[in-house]
Amino acid sequence: MRHVIALDVGGTGMKAALVGADGALLYEARRPTGRERGPDAVVANILDFAAELRAHGAETLGEPPAAAGVAVPGIVDEAAGVAAYAANLGWRDVPLRRLLTSVLGVPVALGHDVRTGGLAEGRIGAGKGADRFLFVALGTGIAGAIGVDGRVEAGAHGFAGEIGHVVVRPGGPECPCGQRGCLERLASASAVSEAWAAASGDPDADAADCAKAVASGDPNAVRVWQQAVDALADGLVTALTLLDPRTLIIGGGLAEAGETLLTPLRDAVRQRVTFQKLPTIVPAALGDAAGCLGAGLLAWDLLDTTDGTEVTT
């Protein structure tokens, strides 16, 4: 059975699948990245995992994979196939596509994790059928994926979609990027956790606890939550003004709050738009499988642009 490898590399773990031509998940597996042993160990684990997946496909599906798609965090040069930088994995300028190609002997596509997850959400998930979409992941930080006609725009230098570093509160909290008042310092899951821990007096409280307190009507939680929603709405309206998406997909850990987040967010965005067209604002549909599913799409897309025999180096 013709299939591809889909591999999603996270900060602590890797999710993988063998994916059929119809998008069916024929086999799924997980492994730790081993980042506690350093960046070289992470790369070695990725290569070993890929080799295991290749062998499993050949043994159980009758042939080796036709291609592979890999999603990684940090700064990614997709055209060159280089994982340029990832703080949580400790690597710099890793020629991951070349290394994987040497192990697998098939074409390999390398993608940014959020853009790859956004590709899956836009093409087969919450944005299916939309010609223009914006996927925004609210996690430890905030990042986005700009979707146009079934593909995701990487930008001239691989930085497209970094909505988390739009300044929404000039002079606000310092961001590791060097600016002050970045959106992700005010509206990410980690920012809400920090604010709610301070407001509640519980250093272990997090964003999920804040959402529960909001649902129960705690006024302090409502205040913290609304401040984050307002900042998020400001950043999103900037993006809507620039991009004019038809569908706005909200994902990431903070989006697990469901309508506790989406109802006030829709209201806040609606209050801010003037001439802009209000997009449909929906929750992500694929959960933590988005990155792996998107990696599979990258692999099949790669085969669509080759004859299936070319090996990209």
Side-chain angles (χ1 to χ4, degrees):
M1 182 179 293
R2 198 164 190 243
H3 63 281
V4 298
I5 290 173
L7 179 57
D8 179 20
V9 180
T12 59
M14 299 182 283
K15 298 184 288 291
L18 300 179
V19 185
D22 59 354
L25 299 180
L26 306 173
Y27 172 73
E28 296 178 75
R30 293 178 182 245
R31 297 281 188 281
T33 61
R35 67 175 182 172
E36 68 279 359
R37 300 196 303 276
D40 290 343
V42 173
V43 174
N45 286 342
I46 292 171
L47 299 179
D48 288 346
F49 196 13
E52 289 177 23
L53 293 163
R54 183 186 190 283
H56 184 85
E59 180 180 349
T60 63
L61 300 175
E63 61 179 293
V70 184
V72 297
I75 299 170
V76 184
D77 185 337
E78 297 174 5
V82 173
Y85 175 72
N88 57 358
L89 295 176
W91 64 27
R92 284 184 180 273
D93 298 324
V94 179
L96 201 53
R97 185 174 66 195
R98 177 174 60 78
L99 295 172
L100 282 164
T101 297
S102 68
V103 168
L104 299 174
V106 297
V108 175
L110 185 67
H112 179 273
D113 56 352
V114 173
R115 288 197 292 269
T116 301
L119 175 67
E121 284 289 353
R123 196 182 293 179
I124 62 175
K128 184 177 181 180
D131 56 345
R132 302 287 191 280
F133 69 88
L134 176 63
F135 169 71
V136 178
L138 309 173
T140 303
I142 297 179
I146 302 164
V148 181
D149 292 332
R151 65 178 182 82
V152 170
E153 174 60 49
H157 306 96
F159 296 127
E162 290 292 348
I163 188 175
H165 296 290
V166 170
V167 174
V168 294
R169 298 290 182 268
E174 187 174 358
C175 180
C177 80
Q179 300 184 114
R180 286 186 171 274
C182 286
L183 179 59
E184 72 174 40
R185 288 292 292 118
L186 297 145
S188 62
S190 57
V192 173
S193 294
E194 182 181 328
W196 179 233
S200 66
D202 179 0
D204 296 323
D206 61 14
D209 297 322
C210 186
K212 292 175 185 175
V214 169
S216 68
D218 184 308
N220 278 335
V222 170
R223 174 182 54 81
V224 168
W225 196 257
Q226 192 61 50
Q227 287 174 345
V229 167
D230 286 342
L232 181 56
D234 287 341
L236 291 176
V237 170
T238 296
L240 303 185
T241 305
L242 290 171
L243 302 172
D244 188 28
R246 198 172 307 278
T247 303
L248 175 57
I249 306 166
I250 306 297
L254 200 63
E256 293 176 6
E259 289 302 320
T260 299
L261 173 67
L262 292 173
T263 295
L265 180 61
R266 290 188 186 106
D267 290 341
V269 171
R270 187 179 299 111
Q271 291 166 12
R272 285 162 171 76
V273 297
T274 54
F275 68 89
Q276 303 94 334
K277 292 293 185 181
L278 190 67
T280 303
I281 302 176
V282 297
L286 302 176
D288 72 351
C292 198
L293 290 168
L297 292 174
L298 289 180
W300 284 114
D301 286 353
L302 188 60
L303 288 174
D304 286 343
T305 60
T306 68
D307 62 7
T309 61
E310 177 185 349
V311 175
T312 306
T313 58

